[in-house]
Amino acid sequence: MPSLMPLIDMKVANLLDEEIPQIYALTGRGPRSALAVLRPGLAVSELAVSPLPGAPTAVFTLRAHPGDEQDGYIVVSFTNATLVFEIGEEVKETSQSGFLATVATIHTQLLEDGSILQVHAGGLRHIRTDRRINEWRAPGRRSITKAATNSRQVIIALQGGELIYFEMDHMGQLLELAKRDMDGDVSCLDIAPVLQGQLRCKFLAVGGYDSTVRMLSLEDGTQLRPVATQAVNSVPESLLMLHGQAAEEPGSGDAGLFLHVGLANGVLQRTEVDRITGKLSDTRQRFLGTRAPRLTAVYIRGGRSLLALSSRPWLGYADMGKWQFMPLSYEALDHAASFASEQCPEGFVAVVKNTLRILAVDSIGETFNQSISRLRYTPRRLLIHPDHKTLIVAESDYQAVPIADNPELQKRLVDESGGSLAGPEFSAELAAELDQYGAPVGAPGQWASCVRLVDPSELSTKAVLELDGSEGITSMALVRFEGPGVPETSLLLAVGTAEQMTYFPTSCTAGYIRLYKILDRGQRLELLHKTQLEGIPGALAAFKGKLLAGVGPVLRLYELGKKKLLRKCEYRQLPQHVAQLQTLGSRIYVGDVQESIHYFRYNKKDNKLYSFADDVHPRYITAMTLLDYDTVAAGDKFGNFFVLRLPAGVSAQVEEDPTGGKLAAQMGKLGGAPYKLDNTTQFHVGDTITTLSRAVMQPGGNEVLLYGTIMGGIGAFFPFQAKEDKDFFMHLEMHLRQEHPPLSGRDHLAFRSAYFPVREVVDGDLCSQFPALPLAKQQAVAQELDRTPGEVLKKLEDMRNKIL
C-alpha cells in the first residue's frame, strides 16, 4: 500500500452504506497531499460484465483438456436450463459441448481422462472425449440434491439422505462402488482433489440438517464408513476441503488437510483433518456476515484457495506459509467459480443478480486497499457532515501562492474542452508537474487556504472555496446554534483562521472565525460572517447550541449574531494554548499544547466556566478522544498514548455540587484545579499520534480505539473483555520479552516505557511474534502458559479477528 506519511487527520465512518466502515485519512503535504479512503480488504478489478437472461442458480468453469492452464468453458445454470459459454478470443455461447441444456446443472467436473461430467437432478451425464454420452438415471422418483467430485471420484446425495459413491476405472467408466443411508437429508458434500501420485482422496465430508459434519472413508473395503463426527452450532450449508499448499507439490511431506464449513448463522469454521485417520481437531471460527457462506475453490499464487460468499466476499489463501483470510472490497456475490485465461490467469467468474462478471484480485497480501483524491494544499482538518454525508476538508500552506495571485497558473487551468478548471489538482498534467517540481514559493508570512466539499461515494470535489487574505486554517467545527432570538438554522461550518501566522515564536496579526452555510445538500458554501479575534483559534467545538473556541490560552463561548459572533463568557487562566476541544453533556475537555488535559464545567446560572480537574504531568497534546463521561484517551507529540480518568467519587461530587463548580474552583491547588486525574493507562507507541477515533471495524465486532501517526502508521488499541484474556496476553508478553528480544538489542520494556512506565497495555506487536519463534521455544513458552502452541496461535488469531 502506498505510504500515508504524513497522516494528519483521520475519521472512521460508514458513509457508503457498506457492511464495514471506511477510514478517511488526510495525508501528504503541499501539492503531494491527498484524501485517502481505506477499506479493510483486498481490491478487486472488474474485467468484464455481461447481462444474463435470468437469475442463475450456479456457475462453473471447466478446462477443455486435463493439463490446460486456461479454462475452456463457463457453465451457467438456471432453474430449468443450462447455458454453456466457450472461452476463446471472445466468450460466446456454444451448443456443441454435450451438456443437457434443458435441466439445471448441480455440478460439473473435468475427469482424469478428459471426459466431462454433468450432474443434474435426474442423474449423471458422462460426456466422453469422443462425444459419446453415458447416462445414469436416479433410481425411482428420487432426485439428486447434492454432489461432490474430483478427477476420479463422484459422490451424489439423493432425496432422503442416500449417498452413492462412483469411482473411475482404468477404462474411463464410472463404476458404482458403495451406497449409504445417512438417516436424514444431506445439506452439503465435499471431497478434496486427488494429489499427484495417489489413486483417490481418502475422505468425504458430509453435512447434515441435524447440525453435524461427518467424515466418511473412501478407502477400498471401507467405503462410506464414518470415521469422525463433529457437532456444529448451526446447519452446515457449504463444505470445502483444502490441502496445505506444500502438499500439492510433488515430493513434499504432509502439509495438512483442512475442512472449511460454512454455517447457516454466517460463521465459517476451519478444522484440521488427520490425513491418516480422518479425525477432526483444532477448530477455529470466524463470523463472515449475515448470509450463510457459500464456499468455492479458486486459485491464488498457483495454490488452491478458498472464496467464501456471504453478505460480502472473503478470500482465504496461503501467504508466506501462513493462512490469511481477508474480505474483498466488492459487493456481495451470489455464485462464483475460479477462472483462468490469458488475460486473467488467476481470477474468478461471479454472478451478481442477472449479470455475469469476471473479476481479479489486486495486491494479494495487503490489509487495506485505498483510493485517493488529490488536494491543493496541505490538509489540516477533516469533518463529516452527518446530514449530507459529505466530507469537509480544510487545506492550508505556508509560503504558498493562492490561485488568484498566480496569473500564469490561471492561464493553464483549462480542460480538454476549453473550459476552466477550479485548480491544478483537477489536471493530471499540472498535478504531475507540481508533484515533481513543487509549488511556487510565496513571501514569508503568506498563506494560501481553501475549504473543500467532497462526495465520498465518488471521491469527487463538489465545491472548493479559496480563502481571501493571507490566512491559514487552524481549526474547524460543525455547529448548530440555538437560543432565544436565534433563527432555526441547519448545521453551520465554523472555520478558525490566523492571518500571517508565523512560528518560533507563534504569532499572527489577527485571528478570525468564519461561519459558512452549507447549501444545496453539500454542494456549495456561502460565507455568513467573519469574527475577528486577538489570537490563534487553536480549536473549535459545538456546545449546547453555542460555539466553544480556544483562542490562544483563552477558552471562550460564543453565540450567533447577525453580523458576527457574540462573546458569551470566557476563561483566561489556561497555561499555554488550546490544542484540542471535546464536549459531552455539561462538561468540556480541553487539551493544552503543553499542559495535558483540563476538565471544565459550564454553569449556566452564573454564565461562567469552571476548571475542576487537571493532570499532574505536563503533556504536549496532539490528539484526544472521549471514552466516557469521566475518561479521556490522548496522545502527545513524543509518541505516548495514555488514558486519564476522573476518580469515581470525585465525578459524583462534581455532578452533585449545588454551586455548579464554583465552590470547587475556589479550592484549586498551586494554581491548578482542585481535583487531579488518574493515569490509568500508559504506552509508548514510538511515533507522534496525530489522530484518535473510536470505531467498530466489523459487523458484531468489538469497539476499538484506532490511532494514526505522523509517519503514516495506523494501529488499534483493543479493550480486553475478560480478565482471563488480559492475564494470558500479559504472561505471553512477559515470556516473549525474554525469548524473543529485539534485533537492535534494546530492552523492550525500556522502549515501551520511554517517558512514563508502561501501564495496563499489552504489546500486540510483540505477542504476534510468537509464530516466528523456533518450535522448541514455542513449546516452552506454551508450556509455561499451560497451553499447547496451537492453542496460543488460536488465541492470537481470535484476537486479530475481533479487531479486523
Side-chain angles (χ1 to χ4, degrees):
M1 189 173 75
S3 173
L4 298 175
M5 184 181 76
L7 198 159
I8 297 164
D9 200 359
M10 180 176 74
K11 300 285 187 237
V12 183
N14 190 2
L15 302 182
L16 307 179
D17 295 327
E18 296 177 353
E19 195 170 63
I20 50 178
Q22 306 87 44
I23 299 175
Y24 297 91
L26 300 180
T27 70
R29 62 183 296 271
R32 298 182 183 89
S33 57
L35 168 65
V37 182
L38 306 178
R39 292 180 175 84
L42 302 171
V44 175
S45 297
E46 200 173 78
L47 304 181
V49 179
S50 176
L52 292 171
T57 57
V59 63
F60 311 94
T61 55
L62 288 172
R63 308 281 165 98
H65 307 284
D68 284 359
E69 293 185 356
Q70 282 93 34
D71 287 313
Y73 301 99
I74 297 175
V75 181
V76 183
S77 173
F78 300 87
T79 52
N80 57 0
T82 296
L83 292 180
V84 181
F85 298 91
E86 189 173 8
I87 303 170
E89 293 182 0
E90 59 181 21
V91 178
K92 58 183 179 180
E93 187 178 347
T94 179
S95 58
Q96 305 300 317
S97 62
F99 275 73
L100 189 60
T102 57
V103 296
T105 299
I106 296 173
H107 198 77
T108 64
Q109 177 69 49
L110 176 67
L111 299 176
E112 189 178 56
D113 63 346
S115 59
I116 294 174
L117 177 71
Q118 179 189 12
V119 183
H120 55 87
L124 306 180
R125 185 178 178 89
H126 188 189
I127 306 162
R128 307 295 296 270
T129 53
D130 56 3
R131 293 304 172 188
R132 286 183 300 135
I133 293 175
N134 296 339
E135 293 272 4
W136 181 90
R137 297 290 180 185
R141 296 187 176 181
R142 302 166 75 185
S143 60
I144 298 173
T145 58
K146 305 291 177 184
T149 62
N150 61 28
S151 60
R152 291 186 51 82
Q153 297 164 285
V154 179
I155 302 96
I156 59 172
L158 303 177
Q159 283 178 332
E162 184 180 3
L163 295 181
I164 303 178
Y165 172 52
F166 300 84
E167 191 171 311
M168 179 180 283
D169 65 4
H170 65 280
M171 297 292 292
Q173 298 282 350
L174 286 175
L175 302 180
E176 182 181 325
L177 297 184
K179 293 183 179 180
R180 182 180 179 87
D181 192 350
M182 299 301 294
D183 300 324
D185 280 338
V186 173
S187 61
C188 47
L189 289 172
D190 194 56
I191 185 173
V194 179
L195 295 180
Q196 190 169 346
Q198 296 185 6
L199 287 175
R200 64 179 66 85
C201 174
K202 292 182 180 180
F203 304 110
L204 166 70
V206 182
Y209 287 102
D210 56 353
S211 298
T212 60
V213 176
R214 293 179 173 88
M215 298 299 295
L216 307 184
S217 172
L218 296 178
E219 291 278 38
D220 277 341
T222 62
Q223 282 105 340
L224 302 184
R225 182 179 299 174
V227 293
T229 302
Q230 183 180 41
V232 292
N233 54 19
S234 187
V235 175
E237 295 283 347
S238 183
L239 296 172
L240 183 66
M241 284 200 285
L242 291 179
H243 289 285
Q245 196 162 10
E248 299 174 5
E249 300 169 4
S252 63
D254 189 350
L257 176 63
F258 297 91
L259 172 65
H260 300 82
V261 185
L263 303 179
N265 58 6
V267 170
L268 177 71
Q269 185 171 288
R270 175 177 164 91
T271 304
E272 187 171 358
V273 181
D274 189 296
R275 291 178 63 186
I276 305 299
T277 64
K279 300 298 181 186
L280 303 174
S281 62
D282 191 17
T283 298
R284 304 183 186 186
Q285 294 184 339
R286 176 152 191 177
F287 178 73
L288 300 190
T290 53
R291 269 170 42 185
R294 183 178 285 118
L295 310 182
T296 303
V298 294
Y299 286 87
I300 300 295
R301 292 179 175 172
R304 196 164 178 261
S305 304
L306 164 70
L307 179 65
L309 308 181
S310 183
S311 48
R312 56 176 167 157
W314 293 72
L315 185 67
Y317 58 96
D319 181 35
M320 300 178 66
K322 296 180 182 178
W323 177 254
Q324 302 285 349
F325 200 61
M326 296 295 298
L328 300 182
S329 293
Y330 200 75
E331 62 182 301
L333 307 177
D334 298 326
H335 308 278
S338 65
F339 179 79
S341 66
E342 290 184 7
Q343 294 79 16
C344 176
E346 288 185 345
F348 44 90
V349 58
V351 170
V352 180
K353 297 178 182 176
N354 290 356
T355 60
L356 187 70
R357 310 184 185 190
I358 296 176
L359 310 173
V361 179
D362 304 329
S363 305
I364 293 291
E366 292 185 354
T367 306
F368 292 93
N369 70 87
Q370 71 166 280
S371 49
I372 64 168
S373 175
R374 285 184 176 273
L375 302 177
R376 188 175 303 174
Y377 308 119
T378 302
R380 304 291 176 172
R381 294 288 185 272
L382 175 65
L383 292 176
I384 297 174
H385 197 290
D387 301 332
H388 306 323
K389 292 189 176 181
T390 302
L391 298 173
I392 307 172
V393 183
E395 307 168 38
S396 285
D397 259 336
Y398 180 63
Q399 278 192 300
V401 181
I403 292 180
D405 299 340
N406 193 340
E408 183 181 341
L409 180 61
Q410 291 180 21
K411 292 177 184 176
R412 300 183 62 187
L413 290 177
V414 179
D415 60 15
E416 295 176 355
S417 60
S420 62
L421 296 172
E425 68 271 22
F426 301 107
S427 166
E429 182 184 348
L430 279 174
E433 187 178 312
L434 291 173
D435 192 28
Q436 184 173 3
Y437 300 111
V441 178
Q446 184 179 15
W447 285 82
S449 304
C450 67
V451 179
R452 185 184 303 267
L453 300 178
V454 179
D455 180 2
S457 61
E458 304 171 354
L459 273 188
S460 58
T461 298
K462 297 302 179 185
V464 58
L465 180 67
E466 284 258 347
L467 271 60
D468 53 347
S470 182
E471 297 178 29
I473 298 176
T474 57
S475 54
M476 190 166 63
L478 288 167
V479 58
R480 181 177 276 111
F481 287 95
E482 299 170 0
V486 176
E488 212 173 297
T489 61
S490 58
L491 276 173
L492 299 178
L493 177 65
V495 179
T497 65
E499 188 175 8
Q500 295 185 354
M501 182 171 58
T502 57
Y503 300 101
F504 305 112
T506 303
S507 65
C508 67
T509 57
Y512 299 96
I513 296 179
R514 295 166 169 258
L515 273 187
Y516 291 95
K517 290 181 180 179
I518 302 174
L519 305 174
D520 302 336
R521 296 192 57 81
Q523 305 284 320
R524 186 164 61 89
L525 287 170
E526 180 184 290
L527 180 64
L528 187 63
H529 55 61
K530 181 176 169 182
T531 305
Q532 186 169 342
L533 310 171
E534 74 281 3
I536 299 172
L540 299 173
F543 179 69
K544 291 184 176 292
K546 300 176 179 62
L547 178 64
L548 194 65
V551 184
V554 179
L555 183 63
R556 191 173 290 159
L557 200 59
Y558 286 99
E559 284 185 339
L560 180 64
K562 290 185 178 180
K563 295 188 177 180
K564 67 175 184 177
L565 293 171
L566 307 176
R567 192 181 304 185
K568 179 80 173 173
C569 70
E570 64 181 24
Y571 182 90
R572 306 186 67 89
Q573 298 174 22
L574 281 164
Q576 295 292 335
H577 178 83
V578 177
Q580 297 284 331
L581 276 178
Q582 298 274 353
T583 63
L584 185 62
S586 60
R587 289 186 184 175
I588 300 167
Y589 309 82
V590 179
D592 190 86
V593 76
Q594 289 185 9
E595 294 294 336
S596 194
I597 308 291
H598 301 258
Y599 283 29
F600 281 81
R601 186 176 174 84
Y602 174 62
N603 188 332
K604 187 175 181 180
K605 184 179 179 182
D606 296 343
N607 191 29
K608 286 190 176 180
L609 295 164
Y610 296 111
S611 172
F612 65 88
D614 59 14
D615 188 14
V616 296
H617 299 292
R619 303 178 191 267
Y620 291 57
I621 304 298
T622 56
M624 181 175 77
T625 191
L626 299 182
L627 300 184
D628 59 39
Y629 199 49
D630 297 327
T631 314
V632 169
D636 66 20
K637 76 172 187 178
F638 299 111
N640 297 307
F641 167 81
F642 53 91
V643 175
L644 301 177
R645 178 173 292 158
L646 191 67
V650 172
S651 181
Q653 192 174 338
V654 169
E655 291 301 310
E656 295 166 4
D657 186 355
T659 66
K662 182 177 180 180
L663 182 62
Q666 294 172 355
M667 299 165 57
K669 302 170 185 176
L670 301 175
Y675 304 113
K676 301 300 173 186
L677 302 172
D678 290 339
N679 185 194
T680 60
T681 301
Q682 184 70 51
F683 187 73
H684 181 65
V685 174
D687 194 3
T688 302
I689 296 174
T690 56
T691 176
L692 284 166
S693 300
R694 292 167 57 183
V696 177
M697 295 304 296
Q698 58 179 334
N702 299 97
E703 189 176 50
V704 298
L705 193 59
L706 288 185
Y707 68 87
T709 67
I710 194 71
M711 298 299 287
I714 296 177
F717 289 100
F718 178 82
F720 287 118
Q721 306 293 315
K723 189 173 185 299
E724 178 191 352
D725 290 341
K726 172 190 165 185
D727 292 342
F728 169 81
F729 282 101
M730 286 185 71
H731 284 88
L732 177 61
E733 180 190 39
M734 179 183 69
H735 288 295
L736 286 173
R737 281 176 181 155
Q738 304 297 324
E739 301 292 344
H740 195 69
L743 288 173
S744 61
R746 185 176 184 183
D747 182 68
H748 174 267
L749 185 60
F751 171 67
R752 293 304 185 189
S753 307
Y755 291 87
F756 300 92
V758 63
R759 185 175 187 180
E760 297 295 334
V761 179
V762 176
D763 187 357
D765 288 337
L766 179 63
C767 292
S768 64
Q769 297 298 312
F770 178 80
L773 290 176
L775 184 58
K777 285 191 176 182
Q778 285 188 25
Q779 292 171 341
V781 171
Q783 189 174 359
E784 292 288 337
L785 299 171
D786 294 329
R787 296 174 186 259
T788 64
E791 290 173 337
V792 176
L793 291 170
K794 182 179 178 181
K795 198 83 172 174
L796 289 168
E797 184 179 325
D798 289 343
M799 184 57 65
R800 280 195 299 270
N801 292 344
K802 287 178 181 178
I803 298 171
L804 200 60

